[in-house]
Amino acid sequence: MSGIDERHPEITPRRVRFDWSETPLHWIPDEPVATHFINVLHLLLPAGERWFVHVYKQALPLVADDPRLHGEVRGFMGQEAVHAYSHQGVLDRQMRERGLDPRALTLRIEWIFTRLLGDRRPLPIMTRRAWLNLRIGIIAGIEHYTAVLGAWILDARELDAAGADPTMLDLLRWHGAEEVEHRSVAFDVYQHVSGAYWRRFLAFFAGVIAMPLAVYFGAAFLCAKDPTLHGVRPRVRDYRRAVRRGLFPGNRFMVAAARRYLRRDYHPSRECSTRRALDYLAVSPAARAAKRR
Ligand SMILES: [Fe+2]
Ligand SMILES: [Fe+2]
């Protein structure tokens, strides 16, 4: 027995810092397209995770009657804020200082999260509370994937074997480990404020359709803006090759994760392992340095 409460581990932000001065643009050597498939995360997460925090500020009063959940939500918001800031650092330094300016796309992504998914109701017949509940449902669905992808990257030894940059791997694994750590919070908030299965189902499908489109268009954008690639476009063949090499999770993995999420008796505490996440955080250079500070 590990002695860890998988449903309610302690959630506190770690104030990590990353130095991007030694990280090359293609941080998986000789794999520019696979690098950009994963780089799509850096495009989406800063705006996406700031949006989580924005929505959860409105959700906090709704969970005030459950002090433990309330505390977990505050820890979750702190962790997500540090995640957003850390991935923003990749955009502003690792990419831009090497000649890849992502702002043409990140401004649009910002618009999606602040306007399209902002506080204004998309339909007049929808109440403010129903719109908030739907957005909380979307966050629960996304958080299922951030946790299973976090667990995936903790164990993706193929990235180490391919010579991936250690600072980038540490960012992705520290973030992945914290996603595993706080994986139950968004689902528990959703169950607390709404719990309707149909809304969870609907919100999940909105995200599921958006995800492959985001990966493809995001990677195509990064390849087009990459000053060293001269118009290379990502092809399905590139994606399959990255999956075969173990550098990117495959369709089967993603579909299996969706099927688990859509079970009526789903709970995130039965996914992933907090012990595994804590074991990584104990050796993560960024998390250790944050602890010393
Ligand atoms: Fe996160
Ligand atoms: Fe998260």
Side-chain angles (χ1 to χ4, degrees), residues 14-18 286-293:
R14 298 169 181 84
R15 307 277 168 204
V16 293
R17 290 180 201 156
F18 296 94
R288 286 171 59 125
K291 201 172 175 184
R292 282 196 299 273
R293 275 195 293 272

Side-chain angles (χ1 to χ4, degrees), residues 24-40 42 94 222:
L25 185 56
H26 302 151
W27 54 266
I28 310 175
D30 303 318
E31 289 282 356
V33 179
T35 295
H36 288 323
F37 276 133
I38 299 186
N39 276 345
V40 171
H42 306 306
Q94 194 262 347
L222 290 165

Side-chain angles (χ1 to χ4, degrees), residues 48-56 76 80 139 142-143:
E49 298 187 305
R50 283 194 291 266
W51 175 72
F52 289 2
V53 175
H54 174 83
V55 172
Y56 270 23
F76 173 98
E80 296 295 11
I139 294 173
I142 296 172
E143 283 289 296

